[in-house]
Amino acid sequence: MTYRVPVLLSTSSVFPERTAAAFQLAAELGYDGIEVMVWTDPVSQDAGALRGLAEHYGVPVLSVHAPCLLVTQRVWSPDPWERLRKAAELAETLEAPTVVVHPPFTWQRDYARTFADGLDTIAGQFGGLHFGVENMYPVRMAGRQFVPYAPGWDPTEIGYASYTLDLSHCAASHTDAMAMADRMGSGLAHVHLGDGTGEGRDEHLVPGRGGQPCAEMLRSLAGRGFSGTVAVEVTTRGAKSRAVREADLRESLEFARAHLTAPSPVDA
């Protein structure tokens, strides 16, 4: 029995268009599913609205990105644990197997101190969900560098049951993406597909337009026994028109499908 890796479209990839536009484009272009980035758009927070969009367009939600960004610190609740619980409830309701979560910010001291144990507790409450902790990157400003995450930007240094590998973040952190995947091992549950040049900022380029081993990574997933999902997470905010945005998202999907050719075994 073989496993065909689903290729998802992250709703963040259509910004500044809103959540509903991602479902429309995913259906038109032939994506296998959606990753919902929970943010200030009310639709991204509403299970009923998301289920309606999924049914209307025939595109399921297969991943939920918890509201971990600076701009989403007040979505649902100022309490990061409550935000994570609500993201898990949303994923469970939509039958999405994966919740993407960032490491805590350094100023979230209580959250950071109990993050590993608390994550295990929530995972136990939502059996069957993967809570993929995502690799991040240090921030460089005015020639200086600081790490805004505690205890750091690399989740493999702590060790978690599940991970999300973001290739654009690997570029921003000057990290070998293949080595990062090796460290994640069997915990690799989800991949954010986007490229970067390694200039020290998070670029989320269309795969193939930067210097990351995007093709090599995708081709390696079968040999890793990968049974998760790949989400296209690229920046199209600079697109001059809907047609240009659509072309970038079509190119990203075609890239992913071209390199996800080798089947992976499904765990029995």
Side-chain angles (χ1 to χ4, degrees), residues 206-227:
V206 170
R209 297 185 186 177
Q212 286 299 290
C214 296
E216 184 182 359
M217 177 61 66
L218 294 174
R219 291 195 299 266
S220 78
L221 292 179
R224 296 176 185 276
F226 183 74
S227 59

Side-chain angles (χ1 to χ4, degrees), residues 137-155:
Y137 52 93
V139 174
R140 297 174 177 87
M141 296 178 63
R144 306 181 75 178
Q145 175 177 297
F146 69 97
V147 177
Y149 303 100
W153 57 265
D154 180 354

